[in-house]
């Protein structure tokens, strides 16, 4: 179960909480996690969720031990284009995560994990799922935004 090991290792990796330098936080605290086909078919959603919850708890302990008094959020999302689960920690509230796209912060980790485990061709997008330039310009007139993606958030700082 390589994926579970990688999730656990995130808790021990370098951690930077730099409210004045979000780029340093992103570069230091963001992890990309893939899975073998065997892991995808043999792991349960509950096992992966439990691993992320343990990691969030360990990060919370690390942050609170030195007395960090600010806000911090550990968050997980499924990067469908890369076929990976990604996670990060930032000194931001859940509604200010450093994404360029529209996202929905929630406590629903199951949906994020289910989408990842069910992805049988990670990182591959079917031609039928792509829009041509003409339909994109038509969509721009009627639908200015793409559907937001889900992000599981867990408060790991002293203030909420």
């Amino acid at each position: 179960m390589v994926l579970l090991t990688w999730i656990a290792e995130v808790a021990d990796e370098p951690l930077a909480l730099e409210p004045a330098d979000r780029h340093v936080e992103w570069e230091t605290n963001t992890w990309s996690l893939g899975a073998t086909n065997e892991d995808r078919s043999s792991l349960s959603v509950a096992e992966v969720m439990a691993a992320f919850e343990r990691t969030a708890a360990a990060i919370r302990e690390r942050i609170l031990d030195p007395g960090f008094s600010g806000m911090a959020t550990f968050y997980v999302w499924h990067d469908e284009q890369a076929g990976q689960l990604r996670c990060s920690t930032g000194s931001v509230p859940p509604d200010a995560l450093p994404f360029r796209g529209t996202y929905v912060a929630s406590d629903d980790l199951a949906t994020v994990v289910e989408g990842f485990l069910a992805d049988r061709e990670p990182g591959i997008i079917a031609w039928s799922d792509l829009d041509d330039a003409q339909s994109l310009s038509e969509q721009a007139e009627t639908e200015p935004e793409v559907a937001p993606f889900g992000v599981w958030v867990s408060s790991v700082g002293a203030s909420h």
Side-chain angles (χ1 to χ4, degrees):
M1 308 292 171
V2 175
L3 178 62
L4 299 181
T5 301
W6 287 343
I7 294 169
E9 288 175 355
V10 167
D12 297 323
E13 292 295 332
L15 183 65
L17 294 174
E18 300 288 339
D21 193 344
R22 302 284 187 231
H23 181 74
V24 166
E25 285 186 347
W26 181 261
E27 289 293 317
T28 306
N29 302 342
T30 304
W31 301 98
S32 300
L33 308 168
T36 63
N37 288 336
E38 181 183 336
D39 270 2
R40 285 180 192 270
S41 61
S42 63
L43 286 172
S44 71
V45 170
E47 289 172 306
V48 177
M49 287 175 56
F52 275 120
E53 289 165 348
R54 284 189 300 272
T55 295
I59 289 172
R60 184 177 302 109
E61 285 181 31
R62 283 181 63 193
I63 289 172
L64 296 179
D65 277 350
F68 179 77
S69 61
M71 177 168 295
T73 303
F74 176 72
Y75 52 104
V76 178
W77 71 100
H78 176 205
D79 183 334
E80 292 182 42
Q81 289 181 322
Q84 300 171 329
L85 278 173
R86 297 202 179 184
C87 61
S88 191
T89 304
S91 56
V92 294
D95 62 353
L97 300 178
F99 291 113
R100 290 189 181 127
T102 306
Y103 68 94
V104 175
S106 78
D107 61 359
D108 183 9
L109 180 54
T111 301
V112 173
V113 173
E114 284 168 358
F116 172 75
L117 292 178
D119 188 353
R120 294 296 167 217
E121 295 183 315
I124 297 174
I125 299 173
W127 282 107
S128 60
D129 291 340
L130 298 175
D131 294 317
D132 61 33
Q134 178 64 33
S135 67
L136 282 177
S137 66
E138 290 169 4
Q139 276 184 346
E141 295 170 14
T142 58
E143 297 178 46
E145 290 190 38
V146 268
F149 59 97
V151 179
W152 177 70
V153 296
S154 177
S155 176
V156 293
S159 62
H160 300 283

